[in-house]
């Protein structure tokens, strides 16, 4: 059971906007910044969002992150077939004294 | 090009040991904390261990504390993970990852090396 809770799956059609949620607690999301990672099939994870809403160089602005209280969200607009991947949220947990990940959300582009 | 390349994985019996390596290139290795993150087949990501740039401080997940040892050789730009007393539940792809900041933002990942614990 992951410390951060994500829906196991999400889906959308090309061009659509989808959001993926990540729920935590006061000891993790509530007091620390959130990251999002994208893992394409058969590849290593890739940093998508850090500091709640910052995009590394090279990440399209179709990807955006937000945080409110003990929850965070990843939004993908203008959905493309190449966005089909697993998405993980992550943050630091003050109680566990270590970084924690969500269980991952498998995004399917219909 | 900034790159991390893991090696050393394989099939090992329960109770056995392995030494994983991660060769870094394209950046000043000693300036960054480095981490190991694992992923069991079909499962999510789990942080395993971290080491600061100088190598003087390390940190472990409770699930591996006392069995795994992280180290680094800054002269060789290489990160290591000594994994001992292996259990079936340690079966996973092991990724090395660079920490961008003090908040464990993993900005560069290797391709992973698979460790399978089975008799």
């Amino acid at each position: 059971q992951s410390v951060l809770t994500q829906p196991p799956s999400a889906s959308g059609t090309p061009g659509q906007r989808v959001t993926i949620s990540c729920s935590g607690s006061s000891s993790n999301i509530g007091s620390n910044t959130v990251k999002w990672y994208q893992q394409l099939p058969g590849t290593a994870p890739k940093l998508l969002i850090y500091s709640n809403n910052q995009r590394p160089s090279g990440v399209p602005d179709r990807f955006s992150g937000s945080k409110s209280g003990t929850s965070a969200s990843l939004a993908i607009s203008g959905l493309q077939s190449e966005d089909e991947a697993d998405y993980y949220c992550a943050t630091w947990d003050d109680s566990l004294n270590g970084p924690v990940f969500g269980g991952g959300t498998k995004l399917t582009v219909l | 090009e900034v790159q991390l390349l893991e090696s050393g994985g394989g099939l090992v019996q329960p109770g056995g040991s392995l030494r994983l390596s991660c060769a870094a290139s394209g950046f000043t290795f000693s300036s960054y904390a480095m981490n190991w993150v694992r992923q069991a087949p079909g499962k999510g990501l789990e942080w395993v261990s971290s080491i600061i740039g100088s190598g003087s401080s390390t940190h472990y997940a409770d699930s591996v504390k006392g069995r795994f040892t992280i180290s680094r050789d800054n002269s060789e730009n290489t990160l290591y993970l000594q994994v001992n007393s292996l259990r079936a539940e340690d079966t996973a792809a092991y990724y090395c990852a660079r920490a961008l900041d003090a908040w464990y933002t993993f900005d560069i990942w290797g391709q992973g090396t698979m460790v399978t614990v089975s008799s």
Side-chain angles (χ1 to χ4, degrees):
Chain A
Q1 203 76 314
S2 300
V3 173
L4 306 179
T5 301
Q6 297 180 236
S9 63
S11 64
T13 56
Q16 202 172 24
R17 182 178 187 270
V18 298
T19 61
I20 297 172
S21 63
C22 176
S23 178
S25 68
S26 58
S27 68
N28 44 65
I29 292 178
S31 51
N32 296 286
T33 62
V34 177
K35 301 86 168 159
W36 289 91
Y37 298 92
Q38 176 193 58
Q39 187 174 30
L40 297 171
T43 70
K46 168 191 169 184
L47 179 64
L48 206 59
I49 297 287
Y50 67 101
S51 294
N52 302 328
N53 55 18
Q54 300 300 301
R55 286 185 307 276
S57 173
V59 173
D61 59 7
R62 301 188 295 105
F63 295 90
S64 61
S66 64
K67 173 185 144 176
S68 178
T70 59
S71 294
S73 291
L74 173 70
I76 308 172
S77 59
L79 197 63
Q80 299 179 3
S81 58
E82 54 261 41
D83 298 333
E84 193 160 280
D86 293 325
Y87 293 85
Y88 294 89
C89 60
T91 189
W92 178 268
D93 191 290
D94 296 331
S95 297
L96 298 176
N97 195 33
V100 292
F101 291 92
T105 297
K106 183 176 184 61
L107 176 63
T108 300
V109 181
L110 303 170
Chain B
E1 181 191 3
V2 175
Q3 195 171 4
L4 298 172
L5 187 63
E6 301 95 334
S7 61
L11 174 64
V12 61
Q13 292 188 337
S17 299
L18 281 174
R19 189 195 200 197
L20 309 183
S21 299
C22 170
S25 60
F27 65 99
T28 305
F29 182 65
S30 60
S31 295
Y32 291 87
M34 297 295 296
N35 296 260
W36 288 96
V37 178
R38 68 183 179 182
Q39 185 173 34
K43 302 297 184 181
L45 302 170
E46 178 189 17
W47 170 80
V48 172
S49 182
S50 68
I51 185 168
I52 64 172
S54 67
S56 61
S57 179
T58 59
H59 189 194
Y60 298 92
D62 287 345
S63 58
V64 306
K65 203 171 292 183
R67 300 187 299 123
F68 291 10
T69 302
I70 191 171
S71 62
R72 64 192 296 162
D73 184 338
N74 286 343
S75 67
E76 296 290 332
N77 293 338
T78 304
L79 174 73
Y80 300 101
L81 186 68
Q82 178 69 41
V83 296
N84 298 330
S85 304
L86 283 164
R87 308 164 179 167
E89 55 264 35
D90 296 318
T91 294
Y94 285 72
Y95 298 99
C96 63
R98 187 180 82 170
L100 175 66
D101 54 31
W103 295 271
Y104 289 74
T105 299
F106 304 132
D107 69 330
I108 304 295
W109 296 68
Q111 88 292 346
T113 187
M114 188 68 199
V115 172
T116 303
V117 184
S118 176
S119 55

